[in-house]
Amino acid sequence: MTFNESASDVDAQWMAQAIAAAARGGRAVRPNPRVGCVLVRDETVVGVGFHAAVGGPHAEAVALRAAADAARGATAYVTLEPCAHHGRTPPCADALIGAGVVRVVCAVLDPNPVAAGGLARLAAAGIEVCVGVGAAKAHRLIEDFVVGALQKRAYVQLKLAATLDGYTAASDGSSRWITGPLARQRVHAMRAFADAVVVGSGTVLADNPRLDVRGADAMRSEDLGSLRVVLDRRLRTPTDAAVCDVAIAPTRVYTCAMQSGVADPGFAQRAAALAQAGVDVIALDAAHGDDAAFLLAVMRDLFARGQFAVLCEGGATLAAALLRAGLVDRLELMMAPKLLGGGRPLLHGLGIEAIDGAVNLHIDDVSLVGDDVHFSARIARTLASTPDLER
Ligand code: AOF
Ligand code: ZN
């Protein structure tokens, strides 16, 4: 198998088209990956496909169907290694072989051990294969899938907003509209793409957010927004909190019936009141007294119930706890062109004392949104299954 050896700038351009096709897949593909495929023969595109919904045909199958006989002799550009397994659909590696494709260029290897092995199968059939072209961009589209496939937990995007000097609120607590309307619009788009929006109970108590997607007026009753999730170990969320208005969107509260092994006498009554208000209360037995274990249990439970990717919107205590637990996959940081010189910090309780302990980020994107700056960064860690190469 060659590793980028025979790839060229031309390959990078076709792969960019396959990546653009993959990006057309939306929420409906989860927990499966967003994948795109472009078939090229004689420098002409003869078929394009992308994975549109879980259970539906894979990107390669869609592109092969579009190309029909023109696939013979073509090169396939696929953003993910073609599968070698009989899953919900037959193996794409076999379909590519059967269609007479002569070369397969893919961006990243499949981290899913059940489906992997397609490149080896293609190579064994005499097809020229190549991996690593466009790897960084293609990997970005499947970050949620990789976390789900390897860790069976929800993928976590952490959204934070602060002044340029890193404060989320002034010392009197006032924080409304640190960032401008365009940045807020972008956050609404992120909420809409997530399967759930997650906050800590401190944020519910301090800011009373609604966490809706567009505003209740625009929402029809059958068109509820993303699930809202409150992490509330002590069950402090009041039933009259805006987030408990389940006419806007459904709400789930994760809690713990016991605190450090001690039963809380008012717990059952508060849980019953929330349930009465239509809130789904889930008490996890796991991990009394241990933030990291509680948060991991929450992320696993979310995944098991179909919330494969979540947007965490704070506050500072939950954000730090998630980072400490190694449960943040991507940071979305909105910074407003304002200075406060003091106030509430972005993170509370990260527990790092020396620069060596800093959380390292890899910034993929920086963009101006109105007057604000949006940084999108992944938490730097080794991507085991991904060649760290992009052409
Ligand atoms: C996709 N779409 O375009 C490609 C995938 O659930 P199944 O049976 O459809 O198989 C999903 C696995 O197939 C997935 O985990 C990934 O490893 C591989 N490739 N999956 O959903 C696609 N090419
Ligand atoms: Zn496949």
Side-chain angles (χ1 to χ4, degrees):
M1 200 183 302
T2 55
F3 182 78
N4 251 351
E5 244 167 51
S6 56
S8 65
D9 289 347
V10 175
D11 286 333
Q13 281 166 27
W14 293 125
M15 185 59 82
Q17 290 197 25
I19 290 169
R24 294 178 60 194
R27 268 170 75 161
V29 306
R30 293 190 191 119
N32 276 14
R34 289 193 276 171
V35 182
C37 175
V38 173
L39 292 163
V40 178
R41 197 174 81 174
D42 302 328
E43 285 152 56
T44 307
V45 173
V46 293
V48 180
F50 67 95
H51 186 57
V54 61
H58 289 184
E60 302 91 315
V62 177
L64 286 171
R65 196 179 309 149
D69 290 346
R72 192 155 299 281
T75 293
Y77 293 89
V78 199
T79 58
L80 180 68
E81 177 184 25
C83 67
H85 79 313
H86 282 273
R88 295 174 172 104
T89 66
C92 294
D94 294 350
L96 290 163
I97 295 166
V101 165
V102 293
R103 182 166 175 252
V104 173
V105 180
C106 67
V108 290
L109 293 176
D110 193 338
N112 175 6
V114 179
L119 277 197
R121 189 178 297 184
L122 289 160
I127 291 172
E128 182 189 338
V129 297
C130 170
V131 62
V133 180
K137 286 207 171 72
H139 190 272
R140 196 136 166 217
L141 290 174
I142 59 164
E143 279 179 353
D144 49 355
F145 163 72
V146 175
V147 167
L150 300 180
Q151 302 181 45
K152 301 287 176 233
R153 66 160 173 88
Y155 166 79
V156 180
Q157 244 176 313
L158 173 63
K159 174 247 142 184
L160 295 170
T163 60
L164 215 50
D165 53 348
Y167 295 102
T168 59
S171 37
D172 69 352
S174 57
S175 67
R176 222 154 174 75
W177 312 144
I178 282 196
T179 51
L182 290 176
R184 291 202 297 278
Q185 230 173 50
R186 192 172 281 197
V187 170
H188 277 238
M190 286 181 206
R191 282 182 191 168
F193 197 59
D195 299 322
V197 178
V198 178
V199 292
S201 52
T203 295
V204 170
L205 294 171
D207 303 341
N208 197 21
R210 292 152 57 105
L211 302 174
D212 57 342
V213 172
R214 281 166 287 170
D217 294 344
M219 197 94 56
R220 289 163 296 141
S221 59
E222 70 272 24
D223 184 22
L224 288 179
S226 294
L227 174 71
R228 297 167 302 177
V229 171
V230 183
L231 306 195
D232 185 5
R233 300 178 73 182
R234 286 170 279 170
L235 210 55
R236 301 184 295 165
T237 303
T239 49
D240 62 355
V243 81
C244 293
D245 179 357
V246 296
I248 296 175
T251 302
R252 185 184 303 155
V253 172
Y254 281 103
T255 186
C256 254
M258 305 244 273
Q259 293 303 317
S260 313
V262 179
D264 165 355
F267 183 90
Q269 211 176 357
R270 298 200 301 282
L274 284 168
Q276 181 71 34
V279 173
D280 183 17
V281 180
I282 297 186
L284 296 171
D285 305 326
H288 316 301
D290 181 345
D291 269 349
F294 175 70
L295 294 174
L296 179 60
V298 167
M299 295 310 163
R300 289 206 170 128
D301 191 82
L302 283 163
F303 184 84
R305 291 172 196 267
Q307 284 82 48
F308 305 114
V310 302
L311 182 71
C312 174
E313 297 207 38
T317 309
L318 176 62
L322 284 167
L323 282 163
R324 271 201 319 271
L327 287 171
V328 177
D329 299 298
R330 180 162 287 278
L331 176 67
E332 308 289 0
L333 177 57
M334 300 288 182
M335 300 206 87
K338 292 184 170 72
L339 300 170
L340 276 170
R344 297 207 185 139
L346 208 47
L347 298 166
H348 177 75
L350 202 48
I352 295 169
E353 296 197 339
I355 190 75
D356 288 355
V359 176
N360 290 313
L361 307 171
H362 175 90
I363 299 172
D364 301 288
D365 271 328
V366 183
S367 53
L368 258 186
V369 200
D371 294 330
D372 304 313
V373 189
H374 174 193
F375 293 89
S376 185
R378 73 176 153 75
I379 308 301
R381 59 168 90 106
T382 332
L383 299 171
S385 58
T386 309
D388 222 13
L389 252 184
E390 188 183 18
R391 289 189 53 86

